Amino acid sequence: QLQASGGGLVQAGDSLRLSCAASGRTFANYAFGWFRQAPGKEREFVAAVGWSGGRTRYADSVAGRFTISRDKPRNTVYLQMNSLKPEDTGVYYCATRFFQGSHISPPGPSVPYDFWGQGTQVTVSS
């Protein structure tokens, strides 16, 4: 089970931190991803992290502004979002899939994720 939280209404330039609390299994061989969907648009990949090795992958649109991380003792994945822009507005979802490879980058947008949590709304006003 994945439980996302931390969304809200902020102004452009502000920061937010999203959390994804995971439960129900051990995650040593899994990767976690954040995705978002803006109104009228398809869902898009934002960032991913491998649970075991902590390697990360980012969409070009958020690289340098967003940071994904995992807290193993808390079984939680975070998405720190800085310098937010109005185009970052959308419903943010966390997801996970099986992944082995502590020394390689986790799956990106071309690989399907299997388990999804509910979304959390992020709205960035200009």
Side-chain angles (χ1 to χ4, degrees):
Q1 184 178 1
L2 303 177
Q3 183 75 30
S5 62
L9 171 62
V10 298
Q11 294 186 330
D14 285 351
S15 298
L16 272 178
R17 188 177 77 162
L18 305 183
S19 299
C20 176
S23 61
R25 65 180 68 224
T26 57
F27 295 101
N29 293 317
Y30 281 79
F32 284 79
W34 284 99
F35 296 76
R36 67 187 180 189
Q37 187 166 20
K41 295 186 178 181
E42 293 187 353
R43 187 168 58 196
E44 64 174 356
F45 170 81
V46 175
V49 63
W51 188 260
S52 179
R55 294 289 296 267
T56 58
R57 180 189 296 271
Y58 296 93
D60 290 344
S61 59
V62 306
R65 298 189 297 122
F66 291 12
T67 302
I68 188 171
S69 61
R70 84 272 190 258
D71 185 330
K72 288 185 175 181
R74 289 184 169 84
N75 264 10
T76 300
V77 176
Y78 301 103
L79 184 68
Q80 177 66 43
M81 306 186 294
N82 298 329
S83 302
L84 282 162
K85 304 175 181 180
E87 51 263 45
D88 295 318
T89 294
V91 179
Y92 282 68
Y93 299 90
C94 64
T96 188
R97 63 158 288 126
F98 183 77
F99 169 70
Q100 284 186 310
S102 60
H103 301 295
I104 60 175
S105 295
S110 62
V111 179
Y113 279 67
D114 302 314
F115 305 102
W116 293 80
Q118 93 297 350
T120 185
Q121 176 72 44
V122 173
T123 304
V124 184
S125 63
S126 57

